[in-house]
Amino acid sequence: MKSLNRLFRPRTIAVVGGGDWCKLVIEQCQKMGFDGEIWPVHPKAEELAGLQAYKDVASLPDAPDATFVGVNRFATIEVVRALSERDAGGAVCFASGFLEAQAEDAEGADLQAQLLAAAGDMPFLGPNCYGFINYLDGALLWPDQHGGKRVEKGVALVTQSSNIAINLTMQMRGLPIAYVVAAGNQAQSGVAEIGEALLEDNRVTALGLHIEGFGDLRAFEALAAKARALGKPIIALKVGKSAEAQAATISHTASLAGGDAGASALLSRLGIPRLDDLPSFLEVLKLMHVTGPLPSNRIASISCSGGEASLAADTGHGLPVVFPPLNETQQVNLRAALGPMVALANPLDYHTYIWRDTEAMTRAWAAMMDPSLAMTLLIVDFPRSDRCSASDWDCAIAAAIGAHQQTGANVAMVATLPELMPEEVAERLMAAGVVPFCGLSEALTACAAASEAGGETAQAAAEPLLLPTPSVEPGLVPEAEAKQRLSDYGLRVPKSIRAKSPGAARAAAADIGYPVVLKGEGVAHKTEAGAVVLNLQSGAAVSESASQMSAQRFLVEEMVTGAVAELLIGVVKDPAHGFVLTLAAGGTLTEILGDSTSLLIPASESAVNAALDRLKVAKLLVGYRGQPAADRAAILRAVQAVQDYVQADPVGLEEIEINPLLCTPQGAVAADALMRRKDILR
């Protein structure tokens, strides 16, 4: 496929079709002041929207840079073929009824294949796609209303939903939008390829992605690499759940990694912060446009109300942001600016003594902006304009801008309620380099996300992820065999002997030495099924326990003692995202605590270390209340052994679970292992 640059930054635009949608495309370009040429194409009309119409693509004066194809799905294929033959720059395919409609129309898939063949290497968006808006050049291949305006620079937005794209243009938050692109069903050009093309425009400051599904994982790796090379941040709003992962419920690992854990792991690996709602998504983009990623999560808040100071502290509680105590320099400068009546703290309530005194407010706010902080939040809510006057708030605007100019620090003005930040104020602040946040919760979420983007992303420059292999109908590998396979790659397992009868189990126990563990083979959840008994001290206890189990075969193992913590190491193949590596509290705590974190294979040692530190049971690993610490190096070796096995033989593998991994001061031993796979002869 050729570059998308001609399509997104056209000098000539063709509009094929004569309906109201096509007229709107022309009118929107004219309204936005597009200074290139617009060529309507219609087999019968003499003119369209006041412009001369051409009979067909072959009649156009030249090959158009961008074409809006607004005809039915059958005619779309022929128009796209004609454009490709003329070496056009690209097209927007508005019609639906292609692959996205295959559930209702068996012809859709075949039509999409025909469309792709007709296009050849000419790029196109869609089908089933609204197109795009280029607010930088006034080029709109967009058949509907929108709420944006021309800008000189701004953020780019790519979404898989045309309706969400429209809604994003209607925001009144002061966010300058350079591009809005609706990807449609992505027959040819996916979200990642579109994002790469937009990042190449030096007028684009950041990229926001609304993602329903990833598709080509290598394309997203390339997008992340391009963003790092250009120094431009990406953020994402990811929606949708993986039905495949939810259906795989045979193990704890599958339930922990179910839903969209793989999506979160992928975005984290790529260094792309993930947001959960549209308001926060827009506020993070606003922050990224002004400051770029933040160097840390250390922030300060200053307001003229103790209630707002407490609200800021409480809202930040549970978010990965820190309000560090004031240092000596801040205290000295704030005391000089505010006098003795104000209790100095962070968040700070500076009272209202200096309100309306722009110079004093500037001094006080600048005094808070220490170089050790990533962001200083100035909490100011503006009155509603239809019933009140905001003239008394001019001092706050001037002080915010003045403090930013004086210190060069990252500064934001925050309205605790989103509607109390007027759009004209937001635009004025943005122009001066001050971030205007609409909503306190959104502001703190934005700071957390921006610090995530600015920190060291352990996986950002890692080796390529292991792509998912074709799905199979797997079988349950016997535990002893599963352990042997994993031990070949370095996983430490207990000494064990398989037995076919209670008597043989008793003999095996004598060979191993007491105490022992007895397990019934062929059972996935042994504890729930009563197929595991621990700490058996005699042969009689072994044979009696075996006789009571509903199993025909048994596994006798040495009893590992001295564990200071139990972990779960699991791998589930996620068809959408790769092989998801899950680390969690193990044993009976797996379900009770809901304590897990997920990565994608291959995960670096530093990423695994960081993931272990995020667990609630992390305190046990370092020694809790006088207990010895677990052997961290042995835990890391165990995780790496599982990864090595997966990477060496991924085809046919669906799942692995080590639960528990017994973590002692001297090592880490896999007490139980579940494996589901189908061995493929190669």
Side-chain angles (χ1 to χ4, degrees):
M1 185 179 75
K2 292 182 179 178
S3 169
L4 288 159
N5 290 339
R6 254 180 92 191
L7 173 62
F8 286 141
R9 292 176 277 281
R11 297 304 308 148
T12 56
I13 296 174
V15 180
V16 181
D20 289 339
W21 299 108
C22 294
K23 292 178 182 177
L24 270 171
V25 171
I26 297 172
E27 291 169 357
Q28 296 286 19
C29 286
Q30 293 170 332
K31 184 178 178 180
M32 290 292 282
F34 177 66
D35 61 2
E37 295 188 63
I38 303 174
W39 301 326
V41 177
H42 194 280
K44 298 178 181 178
E46 295 293 327
E47 60 89 24
L48 194 66
L51 298 177
Q52 174 192 345
Y54 296 85
K55 182 179 180 181
D56 51 32
V57 170
S59 304
L60 292 174
D62 201 351
D65 294 323
T67 301
F68 183 85
V69 183
V71 294
N72 67 56
R73 56 180 180 166
F74 302 103
T76 291
I77 295 170
E78 299 311 313
V79 171
V80 166
R81 180 177 288 109
L83 288 168
S84 179
E85 290 173 351
R86 287 212 64 177
D87 197 27
V92 169
C93 296
F94 181 57
S96 59
F98 291 86
L99 189 60
E100 80 283 352
Q102 65 175 336
E104 300 82 23
D105 186 350
E107 198 173 11
D110 180 62
L111 288 174
Q112 182 147 311
Q114 292 181 45
L115 179 64
L116 285 165
D121 63 356
M122 183 193 75
F124 67 87
L125 303 183
N128 190 27
C129 171
Y130 254 44
F132 69 90
I133 301 173
N134 173 346
Y135 285 118
L136 300 163
D137 305 309
L140 292 84
L141 274 72
W142 191 259
D144 207 337
Q145 296 186 94
H146 64 93
K149 62 182 181 180
R150 292 285 291 267
V151 297
E152 293 183 359
K153 65 176 183 177
V155 304
L157 305 174
V158 184
T159 170
Q160 291 178 241
S161 164
S162 296
N163 199 57
I164 285 180
I166 294 174
N167 295 340
L168 290 174
T169 73
M170 302 295 176
Q171 59 87 27
M172 295 185 287
R173 297 166 175 263
L175 175 66
I177 299 176
Y179 290 94
V180 174
V181 182
N185 84 1
Q186 304 175 83
Q188 182 206 66
S189 303
V191 166
E193 291 89 353
I194 293 169
E196 272 203 70
L198 299 179
L199 285 175
E200 290 172 356
D201 191 323
N202 59 17
R203 300 166 294 178
V204 169
T205 56
L207 176 64
L209 305 176
H210 163 257
I211 305 170
E212 295 174 7
F214 287 97
D216 187 347
L217 297 177
R218 290 285 183 254
F220 276 90
E221 288 181 316
L223 172 64
K226 171 64 71 71
R228 287 194 300 273
L230 295 174
K232 297 183 180 182
I234 304 174
I235 67 160
L237 176 65
K238 173 67 178 68
V239 298
K241 304 290 183 178
S242 168
E244 292 84 359
Q246 289 177 327
T249 56
I250 191 170
S251 71
H252 297 304
T253 301
S255 60
L256 291 172
D260 61 351
S264 290
L266 175 61
L267 290 169
S268 178
R269 182 187 186 90
L270 298 177
I272 301 175
R274 179 180 186 179
L275 284 303
D276 296 321
D277 60 84
L278 285 171
S280 297
F281 177 72
L282 291 172
E283 295 305 304
V284 178
L285 281 169
K286 197 186 296 180
L287 174 56
M288 294 296 198
H289 172 77
V290 176
T291 70
L294 297 181
S296 76
N297 64 347
R298 294 168 56 86
I299 63 175
S301 164
I302 182 168
S303 63
C304 63
S305 162
E308 289 173 341
S310 298
L311 186 62
D314 283 355
T315 304
H317 186 70
L319 288 172
V321 294
V322 176
F323 291 95
L326 300 177
N327 60 35
E328 184 177 353
T329 300
Q330 287 173 298
Q331 292 185 43
V332 170
N333 292 338
L334 284 167
R335 183 63 67 207
L338 297 172
M341 300 295 290
V342 175
L344 302 182
N346 180 26
L348 174 66
D349 167 19
Y350 66 91
H351 299 273
T352 56
Y353 305 128
I354 59 174
W355 188 259
R356 297 187 185 89
D357 186 339
T358 302
E359 185 177 344
M361 293 172 71
T362 303
R363 286 199 306 271
W365 291 357
M368 194 70 163
M369 298 170 190
D370 190 77
S372 66
L373 298 171
M375 176 64 71
T376 300
L377 306 175
L378 315 172
I379 299 180
V380 180
D381 285 279
F382 289 80
R384 52 187 298 165
S385 59
D386 58 339
R387 300 175 186 171
C388 307
S389 170
S391 59
D392 272 354
W393 276 254
D394 289 342
C395 59
I397 299 171
I401 295 172
H404 170 62
Q405 291 173 341
Q406 180 179 321
T407 63
N410 291 331
V411 181
M413 184 174 284
V414 183
T416 57
L417 296 176
E419 61 268 29
L420 300 186
M421 173 61 71
E423 185 176 18
E424 61 272 16
V425 173
E427 291 178 343
R428 181 177 169 187
L429 292 169
M430 289 284 280
V434 176
V435 184
F437 280 128
C438 300
L440 179 58
S441 176
E442 290 86 347
L444 292 170
T445 298
C447 289
S451 66
E452 177 188 342
E456 286 189 19
T457 305
Q459 294 290 300
E463 59 186 297
L465 62 85
L466 181 63
L467 296 179
T469 54
S471 294
V472 298
E473 288 295 330
L476 185 65
V477 177
E479 181 183 348
E481 183 180 339
K483 284 180 173 176
Q484 182 58 55
R485 294 188 185 199
L486 292 168
S487 69
D488 289 344
Y489 287 84
L491 182 67
R492 184 178 166 189
V493 299
K495 181 180 178 181
S496 64
I497 299 175
R498 301 175 75 177
K500 296 182 178 180
S501 68
R506 179 171 184 164
D511 288 342
I512 292 173
Y514 298 101
V516 297
V517 177
L518 178 68
K519 300 176 180 179
E521 286 201 323
V523 181
H525 289 301
K526 295 181 177 64
T527 301
E528 291 86 338
V532 59
V533 182
L534 307 178
N535 201 29
L536 295 173
Q537 301 283 349
S538 68
V542 171
S543 56
E544 180 180 355
S545 296
S547 298
Q548 294 176 355
M549 285 185 184
S550 57
Q552 303 300 314
R553 303 181 310 278
F554 306 94
L555 182 66
V556 184
E557 293 185 332
E558 66 172 311
M559 177 80 182
V560 178
T561 59
V564 297
E566 295 183 357
L567 293 177
L568 175 150
I569 305 172
V571 176
V572 170
K573 186 184 72 182
D574 182 337
H577 308 112
F579 286 85
V580 181
L581 170 68
T582 297
L583 305 176
T588 58
L589 295 180
T590 299
E591 292 177 341
I592 294 173
L593 293 182
D595 182 20
S596 67
T597 185
S598 294
L599 305 166
L600 289 178
I601 292 177
S604 67
E605 183 174 301
S606 62
V608 173
N609 251 322
L612 290 171
D613 288 339
R614 290 194 295 271
L615 295 176
K616 297 173 186 175
V617 296
K619 291 180 180 179
L620 297 177
L621 300 180
V622 297
Y624 186 65
R625 292 194 173 183
Q627 293 298 309
D631 186 340
R632 186 66 164 244
I635 296 172
L636 293 173
R637 287 195 297 271
V639 175
Q640 190 58 51
V642 173
Q643 289 201 84
D644 288 345
Y645 173 79
V646 174
Q647 292 182 88
D649 197 11
V651 178
L653 177 67
E654 293 292 314
E655 182 179 2
I656 294 172
E657 179 177 287
I658 308 299
N659 186 23
L661 180 75
L662 299 174
C663 306
T664 75
Q666 296 81 32
V669 184
D672 196 4
L674 178 150
M675 182 182 293
R676 293 193 309 131
R677 70 168 302 135
K678 178 178 181 180
D679 289 319
I680 309 296
L681 297 177
R682 293 187 291 274

